[in-house]
Amino acid sequence: MSHLVPWHRYESTTRNDDAKQSQPSVYIIAEIGVNHDGDVDKAKHLIDAAQRAGANAVKFQIFNATALASDDAELCTYQSNAVDAATSQREMLAKLELSQAQLTSLRQYAEQREVDFVATPFGLEELQLLANSLTPTAIKLASPDLVNVPLIDAALATQLPLIISTGASTQDEIDTCFARITNADATKRTALLHCISAYPTPLAAAQLGTIRFLADRTGLPVGFSDHTTSIETGAYAVCAGAVILERHLTYDRSAVGPDHAMSTEPNDFRRYVTAARDAAAAMTGGPRETTDIEAEVRKLARGRLIAACDLSAGTRLQPQHLRVQRPANGICPSRWDDVIGQTLAAPVRQGTPLNWQQMKAAVSVS
């Protein structure tokens, strides 16, 4: 079964017979994650906020706390600083689980709001639930699962579009994962997200140059899973080559929960999306061509060749006989070398624009 790969958002506008200009856009995922606090109504409000901000997709996390974490798995520092009265990962996560019925409701609500539904499964059972019952636009594997061979293989086997984050990994680990993607003939439906697994990530530690490196190394679409708190980082990532952005969305950064503090509130999320889209628009390009908005300046601010002094018939033109003066309706200064050495067939007064008919052995005007 063929599935539309949502981040394939490229258009080519043919401007003439010889050149095409690529117009990239960026696929933006609002990572709701667990910022719903286990409350479906909060989750729906965040879907609304994502849609209003202009995100392409919302993303949720699907997990079974007991299966995912042992009872002695400690909280990360950023989690322990943000959660209330939880002593382990399992205890924290148990409060944030969503049932199949709740996830189905959110999937349907996202469709109503015309945003794509993406989800991260943290186990094989959750993956099967996602693929078989929730019909997501894409599957997203979190950074810790870059090395989770059975989960990667099962995700590849679904034939669904797949996004894999690369946080806290080595290049060898990424290369090994890419080899599995290639062996599964899944390169056309898989994307990587450069990611720094620090919450929040200091802007100076974002390593956005890795985006282009990974794209060149693998040939895959590469995006950025953004854990910074800067509104501009998404735009920077687009300029660095990102075609997907993932950013955590919350209703309140001061709320109790593991991800709220490093997430983005709705108004700032809208600014984040706008900046990223503006960056994508600014990054259009290809072989350089004159654009319509440059036509007036090209005509009026460029110059033409004129006589620098009175010149008699039979004069063999030398550099001192010529100068450049605006506007551009005449012989372009780029033809300087063609004009030097030409012989005038008739006298030319100082300040008169030159033309090819004034010369005895006029060269082609093409």
Side-chain angles (χ1 to χ4, degrees):
M1 181 178 179
S2 176
H3 297 271
L4 177 65
V5 179
W7 51 86
H8 287 179
R9 300 288 201 264
Y10 290 89
E11 299 174 358
S12 292
T13 301
T14 303
R15 306 187 62 142
N16 56 45
D17 291 338
D18 301 317
K20 288 186 177 181
Q21 188 172 66
S22 177
Q23 298 182 336
S25 63
V26 57
Y27 186 77
I28 301 178
I29 302 170
E31 165 71 279
I32 295 174
V34 295
N35 283 343
H36 49 71
D37 304 331
D39 185 326
V40 171
D41 288 337
K42 286 183 181 178
K44 290 181 177 179
H45 287 314
L46 287 171
I47 292 174
D48 291 338
Q51 189 274 336
R52 287 192 297 266
N56 300 98
V58 293
K59 188 174 85 68
F60 291 91
Q61 298 177 10
I62 306 176
F63 53 84
N64 178 298
T66 301
L68 180 59
S70 65
D71 58 6
D72 61 351
E74 298 179 3
L75 294 170
C76 296
T77 301
Y78 82 92
Q79 294 170 332
S80 61
N81 290 339
V83 299
D84 184 25
T87 59
S88 68
Q89 289 190 40
R90 178 183 288 181
E91 185 178 356
M92 173 191 70
L93 293 170
K95 302 174 183 178
L96 303 172
E97 290 182 13
L98 292 173
S99 68
Q100 180 175 346
Q102 290 173 317
L103 289 164
T104 299
S105 173
L106 295 174
R107 169 67 179 86
Q108 293 169 345
Y109 192 74
E111 184 174 5
Q112 292 171 16
R113 299 295 286 155
E114 298 184 335
V115 291
D116 292 344
F117 180 86
V118 179
T120 296
F122 283 87
L124 292 172
E125 290 185 7
E126 291 76 23
L127 173 63
Q128 294 307 314
L129 166 64
L130 177 61
N132 297 332
S133 301
L134 297 176
T135 58
T137 304
I139 295 170
K140 161 71 191 300
L141 295 187
S143 291
D145 290 318
L146 179 79
V147 294
N148 187 337
V149 169
L151 189 60
I152 293 170
D153 286 350
L156 291 169
T158 67
Q159 302 299 310
L160 287 164
L162 178 62
I163 306 170
I164 304 177
S165 274
T166 62
S169 64
T170 66
Q171 191 58 50
D172 284 346
E173 290 168 340
I174 296 172
D175 290 344
T176 298
C177 180
F178 176 62
R180 300 193 82 83
I181 295 167
T182 302
N183 291 339
D185 194 26
T187 55
K188 292 183 179 180
R189 57 182 172 88
T190 304
L192 299 178
L193 296 189
H194 167 56
C195 175
I196 301 296
S197 293
Y199 308 92
T201 298
L203 185 58
Q207 298 187 27
L208 296 181
T210 302
I211 295 169
R212 179 60 61 196
F213 174 83
L214 289 176
D216 290 344
R217 188 176 182 89
T218 66
L220 297 178
V222 177
F224 182 49
S225 181
D226 187 359
H227 297 142
T228 72
T229 56
S230 168
I231 299 302
E232 292 80 22
T233 315
Y236 301 154
V238 170
C239 293
V243 297
I244 304 171
L245 293 174
E246 178 185 72
R247 176 84 166 206
H248 283 259
L249 173 66
T250 182
Y251 59 89
D252 185 351
R253 291 186 64 198
S254 66
V256 174
D259 293 339
H260 288 295
M262 45 74 62
S263 300
T264 305
E265 294 179 0
N267 287 340
D268 281 343
F269 198 92
R270 182 179 302 175
R271 291 171 54 206
Y272 180 89
V273 170
T274 298
R277 302 247 184 258
D278 286 347
M283 290 299 290
T284 58
R288 186 63 171 94
E289 301 174 68
T290 301
T291 64
D292 292 342
I293 62 174
E294 297 174 299
E296 183 181 45
V297 171
R298 181 182 173 90
K299 177 181 177 181
L300 299 180
R302 285 192 172 193
R304 60 193 172 183
L305 295 181
I306 68 168
C309 56
D310 289 339
L311 300 171
S312 60
T315 299
R316 193 163 185 259
L317 294 174
Q318 300 299 315
Q320 64 269 24
H321 298 147
L322 309 174
R323 70 184 182 89
V324 177
Q325 186 182 64
R326 298 178 180 181
N329 56 334
I331 298 177
C332 180
S334 67
R335 303 299 298 273
W336 180 272
D337 292 341
D338 295 327
V339 173
I340 298 301
Q342 294 291 321
T343 301
L344 289 177
V348 178
R349 297 291 301 273
Q350 181 181 1
T352 301
L354 295 183
N355 61 65
W356 298 110
Q357 287 70 38
Q358 296 162 334
M359 303 171 205
K360 287 184 177 179
V363 295
S364 170
V365 298
S366 62

